[in-house]
Amino acid sequence: MYEAVHAHPDGQSTVARLAKTAARFGFEGVVVRTDSSTRAEFDADEVSAAYDIDVVTGVEIDANSVEQASGAVGNHRTDETIVTVSGGTPAMNRFAVENEKVDVLAHPMTDSGDVNHVLAKAAAENGVRFEFDLSGVLRTHGGRRVRIIQSLRKLEDIIDYYDAPYVVSATPRSHLELRAPRELAALGEQIGFSKSFIEDGLAEWGHLAERNRRIQSESFIEPGVKRGRYEEEH
Amino acid sequence: MKHLPKHLRPRWRYLAVELECWPDSSVDRRAFQRECWYAGQNLLGDPGGARADLSVLQFQFDATAGVGEALVKVRHGWSDEARAAIACIGEIDGEAVGVRVNGISGTIRAAEEKYLGRRGQDSEERHVVFGNEERVAVVRDGSVDVRLDAAFAGTTDLDYDDSDYDLA
């Protein structure tokens, strides 16, 4: 299971500290999705070797307009393993799900953002994952939390019907905000998601990273075509 | 009052919880207990909170290092609910806190022996270079909490070259 984190200077803790804590909590990897304007400097291989955890480079594009976001996706797609787009407005949600270069539409239900059957169908077609952002459930309470839980339930109903892909994250911005997978699964059960739903969502980050690394590796030429030894007949 | 016969006594599970804060945070048992009950009440409602119990039996906290551990009593069959409620504790007395359930046992002694008292709490102050400026940091087991002007940054020894570390 993987967790997608915001590292310093976007968050309060460095990649190394987040990876160290995540490894102790039982995660198999962390996806570093730092804001596109502030790059975190780190050596993924060094951190990965020191704490025995997979470190995936990524970016979260938080743009004011669709044009800006489109440019940023093009810029970062070749360098980063995972490209997420920060949702929360109807225009940005629509842009992300219709763009197959985007891996994940992050927090689609915040602010004025919403998801409907059109977006869910487009996301399923383009393989864009909706993110279930549990940070609001973990770190707010009262009326705000009620609305956040309602919006997550709605999202689950829609993506379940259209079989759209999804990821789950607690969106930690420091090592103190990290929560272990079992805690997230237990929390999910309380708000109406099954344990396996949460675990699959956390694992999906890892599948995404694995797929993108394969596509970006030098031996990959196009879908169905890769360089290497030919397969032996059985 | 005479205590209940054994078959009528409630059965409990004991959750070993580890806590982590920024250095110099003062968190006491009373504040942690209050947050546990509030978190239970907010997530599980009054009936759920009452049934889960969530009383803090033991509490240790090392303020200079910012780490601690606690033992929380939960009604048998409610440990998943309690785990979810405890995960929702993000602040204690306004101090950001990281929590994790280390393990669950059926007796206090087993929980103590298996899950408590295992964290190395030796911490020391060092001078490091973080963001091109010399800063004071609290070092504990490879984790380095750097004191910035108004906040802290969480780092590890991996973030420093030899020349930037331990300048004192």
Side-chain angles (χ1 to χ4, degrees), chain B residues 72-149:
Chain B
V72 179
K73 185 172 87 171
V74 170
R75 192 170 290 259
H76 179 58
W78 283 74
S79 36
D80 276 349
E81 287 81 353
R83 189 189 277 275
I86 287 170
C88 293
I89 299 173
E91 278 186 357
I92 298 177
D93 268 348
E95 310 273 10
V97 60
V99 292
R100 183 200 178 198
V101 177
N102 259 349
I104 304 179
S105 285
T107 61
I108 296 176
R109 184 198 269 187
E112 278 174 350
E113 285 177 359
K114 275 158 94 175
Y115 306 115
L116 294 185
R118 292 197 306 182
R119 304 190 78 184
Q121 317 231 319
D122 294 335
S123 64
E124 49 184 342
E125 286 212 339
R126 296 267 182 87
H127 291 258
V128 298
V129 174
F130 184 75
N132 292 329
E133 273 183 71
E134 194 181 323
R135 304 279 190 183
V136 180
V138 177
V139 180
R140 171 180 45 83
D141 192 22
S143 301
V144 184
D145 288 335
V146 187
R147 193 187 306 271
L148 306 180
D149 296 332

Side-chain angles (χ1 to χ4, degrees), chain B:
Chain B
M1 212 192 311
K2 193 166 171 58
H3 58 240
L4 284 169
K6 203 155 191 179
H7 64 281
L8 283 179
R9 283 179 223 159
R11 294 204 292 149
W12 305 105
R13 285 289 176 268
Y14 300 93
L15 268 60
V17 180
E18 77 177 47
L19 305 164
E20 185 168 0
C21 295
W22 298 116
D24 296 338
S25 310
S26 57
V27 172
D28 60 11
R29 178 200 179 116
R30 189 184 289 262
F32 179 64
Q33 174 69 83
R34 196 173 57 230
E35 291 298 332
C36 274
W37 280 334
Y38 274 141
Q41 210 174 34
N42 283 332
L43 190 74
L44 311 171
D46 288 347
R51 287 172 75 180
D53 198 71
L54 290 168
S55 336
V56 176
L57 298 186
Q58 292 181 12
F59 184 86
Q60 287 120 32
F61 193 80
D62 177 356
T64 40
V67 291
E69 46 193 23
L71 201 63
V72 179
K73 185 172 87 171
V74 170
R75 192 170 290 259
H76 179 58
W78 283 74
S79 36
D80 276 349
E81 287 81 353
R83 189 189 277 275
I86 287 170
C88 293
I89 299 173
E91 278 186 357
I92 298 177
D93 268 348
E95 310 273 10
V97 60
V99 292
R100 183 200 178 198
V101 177
N102 259 349
I104 304 179
S105 285
T107 61
I108 296 176
R109 184 198 269 187
E112 278 174 350
E113 285 177 359
K114 275 158 94 175
Y115 306 115
L116 294 185
R118 292 197 306 182
R119 304 190 78 184
Q121 317 231 319
D122 294 335
S123 64
E124 49 184 342
E125 286 212 339
R126 296 267 182 87
H127 291 258
V128 298
V129 174
F130 184 75
N132 292 329
E133 273 183 71
E134 194 181 323
R135 304 279 190 183
V136 180
V138 177
V139 180
R140 171 180 45 83
D141 192 22
S143 301
V144 184
D145 288 335
V146 187
R147 193 187 306 271
L148 306 180
D149 296 332
F152 281 93
T155 66
T156 73
D157 45 13
L158 218 60
D159 289 307
Y160 305 96
D161 299 332
D162 290 340
S163 60
D164 293 343
Y165 197 63
D166 197 10
L167 304 169

Side-chain angles (χ1 to χ4, degrees), chain A residues 162-174:
Chain A
Y162 290 101
D163 211 11
Y166 66 94
V167 291
V168 172
S169 171
T171 322
R173 288 178 181 277
S174 74

